Amino acid sequence: MQADAAAETVGVAIIGAGERGVYYVGSRMAELARETGLRIIGVQDRLADRAALAAQHLDGLYSAQGLNHKVRVFEDMHAAVHDPDVGLVLVTTHTDAHRAPAIEAIRAGKRVYLDKPISVTLEDAEAIAAAEREAGKPVMMGFTRRYEKPWISAVEMVARGEIGSPQMILLRSVIPYTRYLQLWHRSNAASGGALNDKGSHHFDVLNWIAGAAPLTVSAIGGRSDIFAPDPNAPARCSECDRDCPYRRHETLIDKAEGIPKVPNESWSTATAPQDRNDNCVYLPGSDIDDHAIVTVRYANGVDACLFFTIFGPFAEDQETLEVVGSSGRLRMERHSGEIDLVSNHGRSRDVIEAVSNDRSSSHFGADLELVRTMRRFADGEVPPVGVPEGVASLRLVRAAQMSLNGGGRAVDPKTMEFVQ
């Protein structure tokens, strides 16, 4: 779609001017401004300096596209949601703050994009779902793997029966995401923990492939002693001269994902731990888990396992998906985009390069595809993933956490009770 040929542009408000909302989704939106016709009218954040710096950043991207477009700073959430020039609202606040802006935007009749996870609590998730049902308009969820070519290709191959009927799923996520201890995610109350922020993606994938209701969830894991609190360590990386492999913005994963520097000075000048992005990984006060092995049994007989940790090394095989079917198996490696397909009971083997032309962009090109999908969503298209999938994913997260704290006992994610 070329914006020059489109009938009209669509105004966008971003609520939550952090890394995800502005420096990933918002930036990709500005880069695609001519193609999609999406225009960010303004941003809103509880931190005024962060919102102002975000607007300046986006102005620069529009200018680079040859567009004379200026991004405003909204005074508050209500002003952002009810601005008459806004047709699409992006909710990218901290996860525990999703409920209020999402519901207000839904009730205001706006198209709403809600970043993952849907929320921290099931109460908030169900309230968002109830508002969506009442409005009769779908909300678009930000599960990026639904927009990422290797995942889409792998799921389509399974759905076509290329390995027979799926029987077992293994999603292995051994990632160097110690940043969860350095950002606001370090608090379960704010983020729901690593198993919610990152695992929400993974549980959505398991549900996507299985295509059936989950019956039981069991989990073992928790918090390792790798990041034992050290009250003598400096509070943040910028104040530390220790030799540390976890120094924020200097790790291999930060450099690989395009964040070898602080997005703007608001993170450097912030004093509250939830507002800065270089907390020491050993700073006391974090209560999130750092690893888990979760098994899910589905009503159609599919058994699935999530093998997850945030203290993995930087490696090419950080995240892999393996599906075993009745006549073959499929293994997908996210970082290379390679799918190894064995079919016909081992008589055939193919290696498929499922790589996006945009893979050098954030989330291997998924964020660009997400923005393109947003334009179609703004025009009335039903999004590929929404609130029901967000609630379903959160149910698996909460059931897994309940099992972790219950000695690995199985939990029914529908009733959120232990299975006798």
Side-chain angles (χ1 to χ4, degrees):
M1 176 191 301
Q2 295 295 324
D4 295 339
E8 58 182 15
T9 60
V10 175
V12 180
I14 300 178
I15 300 177
E19 289 185 337
R20 180 61 183 160
V22 171
Y23 298 91
Y24 284 90
V25 179
S27 293
R28 302 296 86 77
M29 188 176 290
E31 290 165 1
L32 293 179
R34 289 190 178 277
E35 177 184 335
T36 65
L38 296 173
R39 297 288 187 275
I40 300 168
I41 302 299
V43 296
Q44 188 271 327
D45 196 275
R46 61 183 178 80
L47 303 177
D49 61 338
R50 187 159 298 174
L53 290 165
Q56 291 174 21
H57 167 77
L58 293 169
D59 285 348
L61 294 179
Y62 281 114
S63 178
Q65 298 296 316
L67 294 170
N68 183 22
H69 177 74
K70 297 298 182 182
V71 177
R72 308 200 313 256
V73 174
F74 289 115
E75 181 179 352
D76 53 34
M77 180 187 73
H78 182 83
V81 168
H82 294 280
D83 188 285
D85 293 330
V86 169
L88 172 65
V89 175
L90 273 58
V91 178
T92 52
T93 62
H94 293 179
T95 306
D96 64 326
H98 279 181
R99 178 175 176 168
I103 291 178
E104 184 161 350
I106 290 168
R107 289 176 177 169
K110 309 293 186 176
R111 290 286 178 178
V112 180
Y113 166 87
L114 177 59
D115 205 49
K116 63 79 206 167
I118 189 170
S119 59
V120 171
T121 69
L122 283 170
E123 179 185 0
D124 282 358
E126 294 292 357
I128 293 169
E132 181 193 49
R133 288 192 298 270
E134 182 179 345
K137 288 184 178 180
V139 170
M140 180 177 173
M141 283 291 300
F143 289 118
T144 56
R145 282 148 189 78
R146 297 276 189 150
Y147 309 92
E148 195 173 315
K149 189 171 181 179
W151 298 92
I152 296 170
S153 299
V155 174
E156 287 177 347
M157 289 177 188
V158 173
R160 287 197 299 265
E162 296 194 21
I163 59 171
S165 58
Q167 303 294 313
M168 302 170 66
I169 309 169
L170 171 63
L171 205 167
R172 175 185 168 277
S173 185
V174 180
I175 56 176
Y177 260 51
T178 50
R179 70 180 65 167
Y180 281 136
L181 299 168
Q182 297 172 303
L183 297 142
W184 57 272
H185 306 76
R186 67 196 308 271
S187 162
N188 268 320
S191 69
L195 198 57
N196 191 32
D197 193 84
K198 181 61 70 172
S200 62
H201 283 300
H202 305 328
F203 289 125
D204 177 59
V205 168
L206 298 185
N207 288 339
W208 187 17
I209 296 171
L215 299 179
T216 61
V217 178
S218 304
I220 57 174
R223 182 70 174 261
S224 69
D225 61 1
I226 295 175
F227 306 107
D230 180 1
N232 296 315
R236 57 193 302 178
C237 296
S238 60
E239 302 168 353
C240 181
D241 60 2
R242 295 183 178 187
D243 181 15
C244 179
Y246 308 116
R247 189 177 303 282
R248 185 76 167 114
H249 303 296
E250 295 181 12
T251 64
L252 292 173
I253 188 66
D254 284 344
K255 293 177 180 178
E257 295 190 355
I259 46 175
K261 63 179 181 179
V262 181
N264 67 52
E265 65 184 27
S266 71
W267 275 277
S268 300
T269 56
T271 57
Q274 69 269 23
D275 295 332
R276 59 198 190 206
N277 68 358
D278 69 337
N279 291 293
C280 177
V281 294
Y282 307 110
L283 180 69
S286 176
D287 60 355
I288 67 172
D289 296 323
D290 59 20
H291 72 286
I293 301 173
V294 185
T295 58
V296 185
R297 172 153 288 185
Y298 288 90
N300 60 357
V302 172
D303 293 320
C305 175
L306 171 62
F307 186 82
F308 172 71
T309 182
I310 64 171
F311 54 77
F314 183 81
E316 285 300 310
D317 65 343
Q318 291 172 38
E319 198 163 289
T320 60
L321 171 71
E322 186 163 1
V323 186
V324 182
S326 56
S327 61
R329 72 106 176 97
L330 174 153
R331 183 182 183 276
M332 184 273 288
E333 185 178 271
R334 184 190 186 200
H335 284 66
S336 68
E338 185 176 281
I339 298 174
D340 187 339
L341 177 67
V342 176
S343 58
N344 195 20
H345 301 280
R347 295 183 180 89
S348 300
R349 183 183 182 190
D350 298 286
V351 177
I352 299 100
E353 299 291 335
V355 177
S356 168
N357 293 332
D358 297 320
R359 78 181 312 272
S360 61
S361 184
S362 56
H363 287 98
F364 303 97
D367 287 334
L368 288 172
E369 182 59 30
L370 184 149
V371 169
R372 293 182 176 111
T373 305
M374 275 186 191
R375 174 59 208 234
R376 299 193 298 272
F377 168 61
D379 290 338
E381 181 176 290
V382 176
V385 60
V387 166
E389 290 82 5
V391 174
S393 173
L394 182 61
R395 284 193 169 277
L396 295 190
V397 169
R398 301 302 293 164
Q401 291 171 330
M402 185 174 172
S403 180
L404 278 176
N405 295 324
R409 294 169 61 193
V411 174
D412 181 339
K414 183 176 181 181
T415 64
M416 298 304 298
E417 296 177 349
F418 288 111
V419 177
Q420 299 300 321

